[in-house]
């Protein structure tokens, strides 16, 4: 598989991350987590909205009365200042491009200046190229920021995953820590230095994977 991070300036404002246009301008984070096309100009998206608790309460109140007729929104509060919205988009000009190019949207975020940033995964460079070409044919000035293979080299090994899970479950990453590297090394029956290398390599892979999605 191949992953690409790309961006373009918003052309049609009817995109799921823009269901309330002023949210990004208020300094709130609006990110599409999943996108499912259901027709030539329609689709569903899971959108995460985050920001200061009081601001979210004010801006997201009576949301269905405030969105445009091109979409409907079901909102769920997961924590103070953290919401998940199910957006049903009835006027998306580009969601069908994912189906035709065999690509998947991993994430989408909207900046205050109208820049849309996508993280996209496709089976190969050809599928990614078809998606980018189709976007450009719609008049969007697509900028590719990074592209790389997403294969086994970025996946955790069995040993790394087990060590990372154990460290997490035993509170090694808690503040304050509930366990030490010495105690973890005893549990996995290896030296402290060896476990430190295993964990650091696992952490690097997890961080690298996360940052390429951002």
């Amino acid at each position: 598989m191949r992953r690409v991070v790309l961006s373009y300036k918003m052309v049609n404002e009817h995109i799921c991350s823009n269901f309330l246009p002023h949210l990004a301008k208020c300094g709130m984070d609006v990110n599409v987590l999943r996108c499912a096309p259901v027709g030539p100009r329609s689709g569903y998206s899971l959108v995460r909205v985050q920001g200061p608790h009081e601001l979210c309460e004010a801006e997201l109140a009576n949301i269905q009365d405030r969105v445009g007729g091109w979409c409907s929104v079901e909102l769920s509060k997961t924590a103070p200042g953290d919401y998940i919205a199910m957006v049903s988009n009835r006027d998306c000009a580009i969601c069908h491009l994912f189906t035709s190019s065999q690509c998947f949207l991993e994430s989408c975020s909207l900046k205050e200046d109208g820049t849309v940033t996508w993280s996209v995964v496709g089976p190969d460079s050809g599928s990614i190229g078809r998606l980018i070409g189709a976007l450009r044919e719609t008049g969007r000035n697509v900028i590719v920021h990074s592209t790389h293979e997403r294969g086994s080299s970025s996946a955790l090994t069995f040993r790394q995953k087990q060590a990372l899970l154990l460290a997490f479950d035993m509170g090694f990453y808690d503040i304050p820590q509930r366990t030490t590297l010495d105690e973890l090394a005893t549990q996995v029956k290896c030296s402290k230095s060896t476990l430190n290398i295993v964990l650091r390599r696992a952490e690097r892979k997890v961080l690298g994977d996360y940052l390429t999605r951002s």
Side-chain angles (χ1 to χ4, degrees), residues 10-16 18 41 70 89 91-93:
M10 186 165 53
V11 176
N12 175 15
E13 294 185 352
H14 294 175
I15 60 175
C16 293
N18 197 44
R41 293 187 68 90
W70 57 273
N89 191 334
D91 187 31
C92 182

Side-chain angles (χ1 to χ4, degrees), residues 64-207:
Q64 193 53 58
D65 297 331
R66 302 172 62 190
V67 298
W70 57 273
C71 74
S72 59
V73 178
E74 295 182 20
L75 192 68
S76 176
K77 182 178 179 180
T78 59
D82 196 344
Y83 296 77
I84 295 293
M86 171 71 81
V87 180
S88 175
N89 191 334
R90 294 182 285 274
D91 187 31
C92 182
I94 53 178
C95 60
H96 69 284
L97 298 181
F98 287 102
T99 303
S100 58
S101 64
Q102 298 182 316
C103 293
F104 297 89
L105 179 68
E106 282 195 318
S107 66
C108 168
S109 61
L110 177 65
K111 304 299 182 183
E112 182 180 346
D113 65 356
T115 298
V116 181
T117 301
W118 284 0
S119 175
V120 177
V121 170
D124 50 42
S125 59
S127 60
I128 295 289
R130 285 192 296 274
L131 176 63
I132 293 173
L135 283 169
R136 287 174 173 161
E137 286 177 3
T138 66
R140 290 166 172 82
N141 181 24
V142 178
I143 299 173
V144 177
H145 298 281
S146 66
T147 177
H148 67 276
E149 292 294 330
R150 182 183 180 183
S152 58
S153 60
S154 64
L156 296 179
T157 66
F158 177 79
R159 188 182 188 190
Q160 288 170 344
K161 183 176 180 180
Q162 293 301 107
L164 202 59
L165 282 172
L166 180 65
F168 186 84
D169 290 341
M170 291 185 65
F172 182 69
Y173 297 106
D174 289 1
I175 301 174
Q177 283 185 327
R178 292 188 289 110
T179 190
T180 66
L181 197 60
D182 287 305
E183 292 169 333
L184 286 173
T186 301
Q187 289 286 329
V188 297
K189 297 180 175 58
C190 72
S191 68
K192 177 181 175 180
S193 59
T194 297
L195 179 59
N196 183 46
I197 292 172
V198 171
L199 285 176
R200 290 185 64 183
R201 284 177 175 168
E203 292 161 4
R204 179 177 176 83
K205 287 183 178 181
V206 171
L207 283 171

